[in-house]
Amino acid sequence: MSAPLSTEKLTPKDFASSQEVKWCPGCGDYSILKQVQTVFPELEVEREKFVIVSGIGCSSRFPYYMETYGMHSIHGRAFAVASGLKATNPDLHVWVVTGDGDALSIGGNHFIHLMRRNFDIKVMMFNNQIYGLTKGQYSPTSEKGKQTKSTPYGSIDEPFNPAELALGAKASFVARTLDRDPKHMQAMIRRSHEHKGTSFLEIYQNCPVFNDAAFFPFTDRETRKEESLFVEDGMPLIFGQNDEKGIKLDGLTPVVVDLNSSGVSRDDLWIHKEGDKTKAGILARFFEQPGHHGLPRPFGVFYSEVRACYEDDLDQQIEHSRNTKGKIPLSKILSGDRTWVIAD
Ligand code: SF4
């Protein structure tokens, strides 16, 4: 990395490294890289304060392509590396780039604990519902029945729903976006940055080589308006070719209504509130509702709450301990006052 640029106005070019980008032609990762390089200069953070940590997989090549500090770590362990980094250098802006296999299978345990601890770390999980780097095995988000090299007769695993998993693990910010909607992705990257705490951003990413078109219903011109729903805080849930459909809650069951013929007005619809965890859970499970009832796939910020960050609590605890007990050598803390020496 060249000299710090703290005082200079940064541009997307400042965040592009000299490395040759080695993803397959047409891979959705290119769009994600472009949006991150577009948004980072706008954040007005000194370039030397960014660190991008990845695990293993196609997405995890990301740090090579960013002109920031970074670490291509080991499979499923980016969350642990990032946590250590943030705990010891809280001034850094730590971003984790991971994939569905890296985050939810090999790194599943680390993933849930990062969510509950709430370090101020930004997670971008590229979900392509397949293992791409190892050439097409089913992943923890592959749908049931998926035929791959490792499931020749179809997967019999129930897939993870990443947003639901993050909410269940006490994530303080959960959002979803798509590789083919650059504007929306940029907005979600900005929101992730603005959130103080662990932000989990699931990005639907097309893998044209091993799982092409997995998300095309939500991106194709013909179908996307019928199949996708973009939620905004304080706004009613409306979708459809001409915004003629809305979502209403019948108890806790979401129901699609036709705004032209049902007699239901916009005021009767579900109004999205980012702080409502119960409704965030319903949104995350839309595609798991029995029969789906024509429910679209939601995108946007499902949930956001403000709560203490791990590194701040850790700092306070150390400070308090020093003030009340003084500086104690680590060896003494580790051995404590309940150790025994066994005589020969
Ligand atoms: Fe992208 Fe798939 Fe190629 Fe990996 S295998 S670089 S995810 S297209």
Side-chain angles (χ1 to χ4, degrees):
M1 193 172 176
S2 50
L5 296 172
S6 311
T7 55
E8 291 179 26
K9 178 127 184 68
L10 298 170
T11 69
K13 274 191 182 163
D14 292 316
F15 285 94
S17 79
S18 57
Q19 298 289 309
E20 184 194 345
V21 182
K22 289 185 177 166
W23 289 312
C24 309
C27 176
D29 291 2
Y30 286 97
S31 167
I32 306 172
L33 178 64
K34 173 114 177 39
Q35 308 328 318
V36 170
Q37 288 172 341
T38 302
V39 171
F40 270 24
E42 299 170 11
L43 303 181
E44 298 192 339
V45 171
E46 298 100 310
R47 195 176 56 162
E48 62 271 22
K49 290 232 170 119
F50 283 107
V51 187
I52 299 183
V53 183
S54 65
I56 295 295
C58 296
S59 60
S60 289
R61 296 193 59 77
F62 210 88
Y64 295 118
Y65 308 139
M66 290 293 295
E67 188 68 355
T68 61
Y69 288 108
M71 184 172 181
H72 188 184
S73 75
I74 50 176
H75 222 342
R77 302 301 180 261
F79 308 116
V81 172
S83 300
L85 202 53
K86 192 69 187 174
T88 48
N89 290 284
D91 286 347
L92 294 176
H93 290 251
V94 181
W95 290 69
V96 169
V97 174
T98 180
D100 42 304
D102 185 59
L104 303 183
S105 185
I106 301 95
N109 193 23
H110 295 270
F111 175 82
I112 55 174
H113 294 293
L114 177 69
M115 296 298 130
R116 77 181 170 96
R117 284 181 178 140
N118 201 36
F119 277 99
D120 189 13
I121 290 173
K122 317 297 153 204
V123 177
M124 291 190 292
M125 193 197 83
F126 302 7
N127 183 6
N128 54 20
Q129 299 186 334
I130 201 84
Y131 279 95
L133 190 73
T134 46
K135 313 226 177 304
Q137 298 80 15
Y138 80 127
S139 87
T141 55
S142 298
E143 68 277 16
K144 240 178 162 176
K146 180 89 183 163
Q147 281 187 304
T148 68
K149 290 178 180 127
S150 55
T151 50
Y153 303 113
S155 163
I156 53 172
D157 288 15
E158 190 65 37
F160 268 138
N161 174 340
E164 184 187 29
L165 181 66
L167 284 167
K170 294 183 177 281
S172 62
F173 179 97
V174 176
R176 184 189 289 143
T177 190
L178 319 99
D179 57 359
R180 295 192 174 199
D181 191 334
K183 277 209 168 126
H184 190 261
M185 198 198 310
Q186 287 178 19
M188 292 301 104
I189 294 168
R190 276 185 215 107
R191 287 291 312 271
S192 298
H193 166 77
E194 286 160 10
H195 178 70
K196 174 95 169 111
T198 302
S199 61
F200 173 65
L201 177 59
E202 178 187 13
I203 306 175
Y204 282 177
Q205 174 247 320
N206 193 41
C207 169
V209 177
F210 296 109
N211 199 20
D212 195 24
F215 306 112
F216 277 13
F218 318 116
T219 56
D220 257 21
R221 196 174 292 238
E222 300 284 301
T223 53
R224 69 181 177 206
K225 288 199 152 189
E226 290 292 326
E227 299 290 338
S228 337
L229 165 73
F230 289 87
V231 298
E232 276 182 64
D233 197 34
M235 300 300 285
L237 301 194
I238 292 176
F239 69 106
Q241 207 57 38
N242 300 301
D243 288 345
E244 75 285 10
K245 293 180 184 172
I247 310 239
K248 208 172 157 305
L249 271 179
D250 179 7
L252 290 178
T253 305
V255 179
V256 176
V257 290
D258 190 317
L259 292 168
N260 294 332
S261 60
S262 65
V264 175
S265 80
R266 289 180 173 230
D267 296 339
D268 302 323
L269 297 176
W270 168 344
I271 307 293
H272 181 51
K273 292 263 184 282
E274 290 178 358
D276 188 328
K277 195 163 186 179
T278 305
K279 286 187 179 165
I282 300 171
L283 271 180
R285 289 194 301 277
F286 260 26
F287 59 91
E288 294 178 331
Q289 292 287 333
H292 292 235
H293 304 301
L295 289 169
R297 189 69 55 101
F299 298 93
V301 177
F302 295 179
Y303 183 65
S304 177
E305 71 162 314
V306 178
R307 70 167 201 260
C309 289
Y310 191 94
E311 64 272 23
D312 295 338
D313 283 353
L314 180 66
D315 234 32
Q316 277 180 22
Q317 191 178 58
I318 293 171
E319 191 65 22
H320 177 72
S321 169
R322 278 191 183 142
N323 290 340
T324 52
K325 298 184 176 155
K327 276 193 179 177
I328 305 172
L330 184 61
S331 56
K332 178 122 181 60
I333 295 172
L334 291 177
S335 62
D337 54 7
R338 286 179 173 233
T339 53
W340 293 268
V341 177
I342 299 179
D344 288 339

